[in-house]
Amino acid sequence: MSFPNETIVPDKVTVGPPAPPLLSLVVPFYNEQEMIPHFFSGVIPELERIPNIRFEILCVNDGSRDRTLDSLIAYAHADARVRVVDLTRNFGKEAALTAAIFEARGDLIVPFDADLQDPPEVIGKLVEKWREGYDVVLAKRADRESDSPLKKWTAQFFYRIHNDMADLPIPENVGDFRLFTRNVANALKTLPESCRFMKGLFAWVGFKTAIVEYKRAPRAAGKTKFSGWKLWNFALEGITSFSTLPLRIWTYLGVSVAIFALTRAFWLVIRTMLYGVDVPGYASLATAILLLGGIQLIGIGVLGEYVGRIYLESKGRPVYLVRKRYEKAMAHA
């Protein structure tokens, strides 16, 4: 019941402070059972030190053949901040990283390697730089002393060749380790290609970017899963994903060979008219045939790389498939 001239005052609505942003540390795992205890003991304390941040650790098991999945599930059952996504088979690191980014729930996302060569304490520095207003914060290796001389040389060679050939350069000595916002993750989700070179895709989406330098550490345990052959194929994937210059090179080479052949034919006609015909050997003829045959085969191989990519993309298959997800149920008050 109300009375005349009565003033009704609405109940006050108590609004608490907004929840701190959620940081998703996304980590692909492949046969890393030896590294898992070192990983969690090194990462969780560093994430807990970051002020005004909630976090989750999203682990993607990329078809491991050892006990990696069992170990990850044990951590997920013990800590609600750990989630595990188990893929149906080994799809490769780029696909596993894509799955991790797509499955992450955070406002901030940090791709990270399980080998701890990227120091966990750098994550706090990335967050500090993000607070200055950047959408992407790259973690750049100040030196590569932990790498072998051959790996350092090949890395420098790859970045130089790729950035000279590609329309969009990628930052040198920057791996997958970086921080980016939910807006960047949503932009990555709109890119439909199934052959994914993530370093190039990170660069392609753009956004306001800053750099934090750090020193990379040696692997704490286990062995690297990247052989020289895999690194070579990875480099080819990067170049063919973001440049058509290899195709144009063979056009230019073909034009150059044709000009040389016409010039030599013209010279042979003039020489025959002036000096008559001699009887040359077959060595030069065989050399020319083998040289031109080799050039043609290389050109066909380069063309095949691009045709193969078209073939794979035309199938429209998903980048990855999830077998099961594991996480501890959150307790509600």
PDB file of all heavy atoms in Angstrom, residues 154-171:
ATOM      1  N   THR A 154      70.923 -20.493 -39.750  1.00  0.00           N
ATOM      2  CA  THR A 154      69.750 -20.774 -40.588  1.00  0.00           C
ATOM      3  C   THR A 154      68.591 -19.844 -40.232  1.00  0.00           C
ATOM      4  O   THR A 154      67.814 -19.450 -41.112  1.00  0.00           O
ATOM      5  CB  THR A 154      69.313 -22.238 -40.434  1.00  0.00           C
ATOM      6  OG1 THR A 154      69.148 -22.539 -39.034  1.00  0.00           O
ATOM      7  CG2 THR A 154      70.346 -23.171 -41.019  1.00  0.00           C
ATOM      8  N   ALA A 155      68.441 -19.487 -38.946  1.00  0.00           N
ATOM      9  CA  ALA A 155      67.369 -18.565 -38.554  1.00  0.00           C
ATOM     10  C   ALA A 155      67.588 -17.190 -39.183  1.00  0.00           C
ATOM     11  O   ALA A 155      66.651 -16.579 -39.723  1.00  0.00           O
ATOM     12  CB  ALA A 155      67.309 -18.452 -37.025  1.00  0.00           C
ATOM     13  N   GLN A 156      68.824 -16.698 -39.123  1.00  0.00           N
ATOM     14  CA  GLN A 156      69.120 -15.405 -39.748  1.00  0.00           C
ATOM     15  C   GLN A 156      68.873 -15.450 -41.249  1.00  0.00           C
ATOM     16  O   GLN A 156      68.312 -14.506 -41.834  1.00  0.00           O
ATOM     17  CB  GLN A 156      70.578 -15.019 -39.457  1.00  0.00           C
ATOM     18  CG  GLN A 156      70.866 -14.717 -38.000  1.00  0.00           C
ATOM     19  CD  GLN A 156      72.352 -14.485 -37.737  1.00  0.00           C
ATOM     20  OE1 GLN A 156      73.186 -14.652 -38.626  1.00  0.00           O
ATOM     21  NE2 GLN A 156      72.683 -14.115 -36.518  1.00  0.00           N
ATOM     22  N   PHE A 157      69.270 -16.573 -41.866  1.00  0.00           N
ATOM     23  CA  PHE A 157      69.074 -16.715 -43.306  1.00  0.00           C
ATOM     24  C   PHE A 157      67.589 -16.735 -43.649  1.00  0.00           C
ATOM     25  O   PHE A 157      67.149 -16.102 -44.618  1.00  0.00           O
ATOM     26  CB  PHE A 157      69.751 -18.009 -43.777  1.00  0.00           C
ATOM     27  CG  PHE A 157      69.641 -18.255 -45.254  1.00  0.00           C
ATOM     28  CD1 PHE A 157      70.385 -17.504 -46.152  1.00  0.00           C
ATOM     29  CD2 PHE A 157      68.789 -19.238 -45.746  1.00  0.00           C
ATOM     30  CE1 PHE A 157      70.289 -17.731 -47.520  1.00  0.00           C
ATOM     31  CE2 PHE A 157      68.680 -19.471 -47.100  1.00  0.00           C
ATOM     32  CZ  PHE A 157      69.426 -18.709 -47.989  1.00  0.00           C
ATOM     33  N   PHE A 158      66.788 -17.453 -42.845  1.00  0.00           N
ATOM     34  CA  PHE A 158      65.355 -17.529 -43.107  1.00  0.00           C
ATOM     35  C   PHE A 158      64.699 -16.157 -43.017  1.00  0.00           C
ATOM     36  O   PHE A 158      63.930 -15.760 -43.901  1.00  0.00           O
ATOM     37  CB  PHE A 158      64.673 -18.485 -42.120  1.00  0.00           C
ATOM     38  CG  PHE A 158      63.176 -18.352 -42.123  1.00  0.00           C
ATOM     39  CD1 PHE A 158      62.415 -18.835 -43.177  1.00  0.00           C
ATOM     40  CD2 PHE A 158      62.520 -17.730 -41.070  1.00  0.00           C
ATOM     41  CE1 PHE A 158      61.041 -18.694 -43.192  1.00  0.00           C
ATOM     42  CE2 PHE A 158      61.142 -17.597 -41.063  1.00  0.00           C
ATOM     43  CZ  PHE A 158      60.408 -18.082 -42.133  1.00  0.00           C
ATOM     44  N   TYR A 159      64.968 -15.428 -41.934  1.00  0.00           N
ATOM     45  CA  TYR A 159      64.341 -14.114 -41.772  1.00  0.00           C
ATOM     46  C   TYR A 159      64.733 -13.174 -42.909  1.00  0.00           C
ATOM     47  O   TYR A 159      63.901 -12.418 -43.424  1.00  0.00           O
ATOM     48  CB  TYR A 159      64.733 -13.498 -40.425  1.00  0.00           C
ATOM     49  CG  TYR A 159      64.002 -14.095 -39.245  1.00  0.00           C
ATOM     50  CD1 TYR A 159      64.691 -14.791 -38.254  1.00  0.00           C
ATOM     51  CD2 TYR A 159      62.627 -13.972 -39.117  1.00  0.00           C
ATOM     52  CE1 TYR A 159      64.026 -15.347 -37.173  1.00  0.00           C
ATOM     53  CE2 TYR A 159      61.953 -14.522 -38.039  1.00  0.00           C
ATOM     54  CZ  TYR A 159      62.649 -15.198 -37.070  1.00  0.00           C
ATOM     55  OH  TYR A 159      61.992 -15.753 -35.996  1.00  0.00           O
ATOM     56  N   ARG A 160      66.000 -13.232 -43.319  1.00  0.00           N
ATOM     57  CA  ARG A 160      66.454 -12.349 -44.396  1.00  0.00           C
ATOM     58  C   ARG A 160      65.759 -12.692 -45.704  1.00  0.00           C
ATOM     59  O   ARG A 160      65.249 -11.808 -46.406  1.00  0.00           O
ATOM     60  CB  ARG A 160      67.973 -12.459 -44.544  1.00  0.00           C
ATOM     61  CG  ARG A 160      68.572 -11.516 -45.578  1.00  0.00           C
ATOM     62  CD  ARG A 160      70.085 -11.580 -45.530  1.00  0.00           C
ATOM     63  NE  ARG A 160      70.590 -11.290 -44.200  1.00  0.00           N
ATOM     64  CZ  ARG A 160      71.863 -11.473 -43.831  1.00  0.00           C
ATOM     65  NH1 ARG A 160      72.734 -11.974 -44.708  1.00  0.00           N
ATOM     66  NH2 ARG A 160      72.248 -11.168 -42.612  1.00  0.00           N
ATOM     67  N   ILE A 161      65.731 -13.991 -46.049  1.00  0.00           N
ATOM     68  CA  ILE A 161      65.092 -14.409 -47.304  1.00  0.00           C
ATOM     69  C   ILE A 161      63.601 -14.125 -47.265  1.00  0.00           C
ATOM     70  O   ILE A 161      63.025 -13.587 -48.225  1.00  0.00           O
ATOM     71  CB  ILE A 161      65.366 -15.901 -47.565  1.00  0.00           C
ATOM     72  CG1 ILE A 161      66.864 -16.137 -47.822  1.00  0.00           C
ATOM     73  CG2 ILE A 161      64.542 -16.394 -48.749  1.00  0.00           C
ATOM     74  CD1 ILE A 161      67.398 -15.436 -49.050  1.00  0.00           C
ATOM     75  N   HIS A 162      62.946 -14.512 -46.173  1.00  0.00           N
ATOM     76  CA  HIS A 162      61.496 -14.322 -46.080  1.00  0.00           C
ATOM     77  C   HIS A 162      61.115 -12.860 -46.192  1.00  0.00           C
ATOM     78  O   HIS A 162      60.210 -12.494 -46.956  1.00  0.00           O
ATOM     79  CB  HIS A 162      60.978 -14.904 -44.756  1.00  0.00           C
ATOM     80  CG  HIS A 162      59.493 -14.772 -44.596  1.00  0.00           C
ATOM     81  ND1 HIS A 162      58.883 -13.599 -44.185  1.00  0.00           N
ATOM     82  CD2 HIS A 162      58.482 -15.662 -44.808  1.00  0.00           C
ATOM     83  CE1 HIS A 162      57.581 -13.779 -44.140  1.00  0.00           C
ATOM     84  NE2 HIS A 162      57.308 -15.004 -44.511  1.00  0.00           N
ATOM     85  N   ASN A 163      61.795 -12.001 -45.460  1.00  0.00           N
ATOM     86  CA  ASN A 163      61.417 -10.589 -45.451  1.00  0.00           C
ATOM     87  C   ASN A 163      61.787  -9.878 -46.755  1.00  0.00           C
ATOM     88  O   ASN A 163      61.176  -8.866 -47.098  1.00  0.00           O
ATOM     89  CB  ASN A 163      62.048  -9.880 -44.254  1.00  0.00           C
ATOM     90  CG  ASN A 163      61.433 -10.327 -42.941  1.00  0.00           C
ATOM     91  OD1 ASN A 163      60.343 -10.884 -42.923  1.00  0.00           O
ATOM     92  ND2 ASN A 163      62.127 -10.094 -41.844  1.00  0.00           N
ATOM     93  N   ASP A 164      62.772 -10.414 -47.479  1.00  0.00           N
ATOM     94  CA  ASP A 164      63.080  -9.851 -48.794  1.00  0.00           C
ATOM     95  C   ASP A 164      62.048 -10.274 -49.839  1.00  0.00           C
ATOM     96  O   ASP A 164      61.768  -9.529 -50.785  1.00  0.00           O
ATOM     97  CB  ASP A 164      64.476 -10.302 -49.250  1.00  0.00           C
ATOM     98  CG  ASP A 164      65.589  -9.579 -48.495  1.00  0.00           C
ATOM     99  OD1 ASP A 164      65.298  -8.535 -47.873  1.00  0.00           O
ATOM    100  OD2 ASP A 164      66.734 -10.062 -48.512  1.00  0.00           O
ATOM    101  N   MET A 165      61.474 -11.453 -49.660  1.00  0.00           N
ATOM    102  CA  MET A 165      60.565 -11.984 -50.662  1.00  0.00           C
ATOM    103  C   MET A 165      59.103 -11.676 -50.367  1.00  0.00           C
ATOM    104  O   MET A 165      58.306 -11.494 -51.287  1.00  0.00           O
ATOM    105  CB  MET A 165      60.745 -13.511 -50.772  1.00  0.00           C
ATOM    106  CG  MET A 165      62.115 -13.938 -51.246  1.00  0.00           C
ATOM    107  SD  MET A 165      62.307 -15.727 -51.307  1.00  0.00           S
ATOM    108  CE  MET A 165      61.171 -16.146 -52.610  1.00  0.00           C
ATOM    109  N   ALA A 166      58.735 -11.649 -49.091  1.00  0.00           N
ATOM    110  CA  ALA A 166      57.328 -11.524 -48.726  1.00  0.00           C
ATOM    111  C   ALA A 166      56.870 -10.075 -48.793  1.00  0.00           C
ATOM    112  O   ALA A 166      57.652  -9.140 -48.557  1.00  0.00           O
ATOM    113  CB  ALA A 166      57.098 -12.088 -47.324  1.00  0.00           C
ATOM    114  N   ASP A 167      55.592  -9.890 -49.114  1.00  0.00           N
ATOM    115  CA  ASP A 167      55.013  -8.551 -49.105  1.00  0.00           C
ATOM    116  C   ASP A 167      54.886  -8.016 -47.677  1.00  0.00           C
ATOM    117  O   ASP A 167      54.939  -6.810 -47.451  1.00  0.00           O
ATOM    118  CB  ASP A 167      53.624  -8.578 -49.758  1.00  0.00           C
ATOM    119  CG  ASP A 167      53.691  -8.990 -51.219  1.00  0.00           C
ATOM    120  OD1 ASP A 167      54.717  -8.698 -51.867  1.00  0.00           O
ATOM    121  OD2 ASP A 167      52.733  -9.623 -51.704  1.00  0.00           O
ATOM    122  N   LEU A 168      54.709  -8.923 -46.716  1.00  0.00           N
ATOM    123  CA  LEU A 168      54.556  -8.535 -45.320  1.00  0.00           C
ATOM    124  C   LEU A 168      55.699  -9.133 -44.506  1.00  0.00           C
ATOM    125  O   LEU A 168      55.756 -10.350 -44.314  1.00  0.00           O
ATOM    126  CB  LEU A 168      53.210  -9.041 -44.776  1.00  0.00           C
ATOM    127  CG  LEU A 168      52.896  -8.689 -43.323  1.00  0.00           C
ATOM    128  CD1 LEU A 168      52.631  -7.195 -43.191  1.00  0.00           C
ATOM    129  CD2 LEU A 168      51.694  -9.485 -42.835  1.00  0.00           C
ATOM    130  N   PRO A 169      56.645  -8.328 -44.022  1.00  0.00           N
ATOM    131  CA  PRO A 169      57.753  -8.878 -43.244  1.00  0.00           C
ATOM    132  C   PRO A 169      57.288  -9.341 -41.872  1.00  0.00           C
ATOM    133  O   PRO A 169      56.305  -8.829 -41.320  1.00  0.00           O
ATOM    134  CB  PRO A 169      58.728  -7.690 -43.132  1.00  0.00           C
ATOM    135  CG  PRO A 169      57.861  -6.474 -43.259  1.00  0.00           C
ATOM    136  CD  PRO A 169      56.754  -6.860 -44.200  1.00  0.00           C
ATOM    137  N   ILE A 170      58.001 -10.313 -41.313  1.00  0.00           N
ATOM    138  CA  ILE A 170      57.751 -10.744 -39.942  1.00  0.00           C
ATOM    139  C   ILE A 170      58.917 -10.281 -39.079  1.00  0.00           C
ATOM    140  O   ILE A 170      60.052 -10.207 -39.548  1.00  0.00           O
ATOM    141  CB  ILE A 170      57.566 -12.270 -39.852  1.00  0.00           C
ATOM    142  CG1 ILE A 170      58.799 -13.003 -40.361  1.00  0.00           C
ATOM    143  CG2 ILE A 170      56.341 -12.706 -40.622  1.00  0.00           C
ATOM    144  CD1 ILE A 170      58.720 -14.518 -40.205  1.00  0.00           C
ATOM    145  N   PRO A 171      58.671  -9.944 -37.805  1.00  0.00           N
ATOM    146  CA  PRO A 171      59.760  -9.452 -36.944  1.00  0.00           C
ATOM    147  C   PRO A 171      60.833 -10.512 -36.755  1.00  0.00           C
ATOM    148  O   PRO A 171      60.530 -11.687 -36.529  1.00  0.00           O
ATOM    149  CB  PRO A 171      59.039  -9.134 -35.627  1.00  0.00           C
ATOM    150  CG  PRO A 171      57.591  -9.032 -35.965  1.00  0.00           C
ATOM    151  CD  PRO A 171      57.369  -9.942 -37.125  1.00  0.00           C
TER     152      PRO A 171
END
